[in-house]
Amino acid sequence: MKYLARADRIPHRTEGEAVLLEFIPKNVGRILDLGTGDGRLLALLRIERPDAEGVALDFSPTMLKAARERFAGDDKVQVVEHNLDNPLPDLGRFDAIVSSFAIHHCSDERKRTLYSGIYAALNPGGIFCNLEHVLPGTPELHARFLRALGITAADEDPSNKLVSVDLQLQWLREIGFTEVDCHWKWLELALLGGVKSA
C-alpha cells in the first residue's frame, strides 16, 4: 500500500511523534489511537508505557491486518474496525486519545463532531494529541511541502480535507478543551492538543 511504503519517509515525522510522546504521561492507563494504520504510533507510545492498555481503530483491511500482526500476542492492545466518519463506538473512557494523519480525511463538520466525541471519551484530566496534515499557509509553502515529499500536485491524496491550525484550535477550545495549543509544526504537519478539564 502506498501509505505504508511512504510513511517512514515523511520528512520530520519522527520529530512530531517525539513531541507527541512527551505530552503523554508515562503512567497513562488507557490509550485510544484513532486511524491507527499499522499501529506505529501506539507501538511507540507503549515502549515507555508497557502497562498501558491500548485500543487501535482503523477501517482499512490492509491497515487492520498490519496492526493485528504488530500486536499479535499482546493482550493489552485491542484492534477495532471503525470508520472515523461514524460516531465513535462506546469503548469506555481513556486517559489519552491520539491520532496520526487520519482525521484530515473526514469532512470539516465531522472533524468538529469527532473532536466533541473525543472530549466525551476522555477521563477528566485526559489528553488529546493529534499529529495532523493541515492546510498550508500559502500556495508557495504548499509547493515547498510537495517538493519536500518528492511528489507533485497530481500525486496528492484526493481524500485530503485540510483545515487550518487556527480553526482546529478554536474548535477544541469551544468544545471545552483546556491547554489547547499547536505543540509542533513543520509546513503542513502539525501537532494539535488539548486537555479535558479535571
Side-chain angles (χ1 to χ4, degrees):
M1 191 170 198
K2 277 186 182 178
Y3 172 79
L4 289 177
R6 276 204 317 240
D8 289 327
R9 297 199 301 270
I10 297 173
H12 302 281
R13 176 182 188 152
T14 54
E15 291 174 21
E17 290 170 337
V19 177
L20 186 154
L21 292 175
E22 290 175 12
F23 276 89
I24 307 302
K26 295 290 196 299
N27 63 347
V28 69
R30 295 190 79 218
I31 303 169
L32 173 61
D33 184 8
L34 301 175
T36 195
D38 65 354
R40 170 193 173 109
L41 180 59
L42 186 57
L44 287 173
L45 282 161
R46 294 189 69 250
I47 289 170
E48 293 186 335
R49 301 159 189 82
D51 294 328
E53 292 180 16
V55 178
L57 262 60
D58 209 285
F59 79 101
S60 159
T62 303
M63 296 299 186
L64 289 165
K65 180 175 184 288
R68 288 188 177 115
E69 288 172 359
R70 182 189 289 269
F71 297 117
D74 187 341
D75 61 3
K76 288 188 177 292
V77 175
Q78 178 185 7
V79 179
V80 176
E81 181 177 350
H82 180 75
N83 188 326
L84 292 180
D85 285 334
N86 301 319
L88 291 177
D90 185 2
L91 299 164
R93 297 292 169 263
F94 296 88
D95 304 300
I97 298 179
V98 298
S99 188
S100 177
F101 307 118
I103 295 174
H104 70 275
H105 294 298
C106 297
S107 70
D108 293 358
E109 182 181 353
R110 176 58 192 144
K111 286 184 188 77
R112 198 182 188 295
T113 57
L114 177 56
Y115 288 160
S116 292
I118 289 166
Y119 187 85
L122 282 169
N123 284 319
I127 187 165
F128 171 49
C129 285
N130 182 20
L131 185 60
E132 189 58 291
H133 187 180
V134 298
L135 192 69
T138 67
E140 291 77 17
L141 287 171
H142 181 54
R144 180 174 180 154
F145 180 72
L146 294 180
R147 286 195 302 274
L149 264 60
I151 63 174
T152 67
D155 299 318
E156 287 190 87
D157 186 340
S159 71
N160 287 347
K161 300 175 181 72
L162 307 183
V163 177
S164 71
V165 167
D166 289 346
L167 183 54
Q168 294 187 72
L169 296 182
Q170 178 185 322
W171 289 343
L172 294 177
R173 291 187 186 102
E174 289 170 354
I175 288 162
F177 283 96
T178 61
E179 299 179 43
V180 171
D181 207 351
C182 175
H183 303 306
W184 172 87
K185 190 172 187 297
W186 174 77
L187 293 177
E188 295 176 30
L189 309 185
L191 175 62
L192 315 176
V195 173
K196 182 172 182 174
S197 298

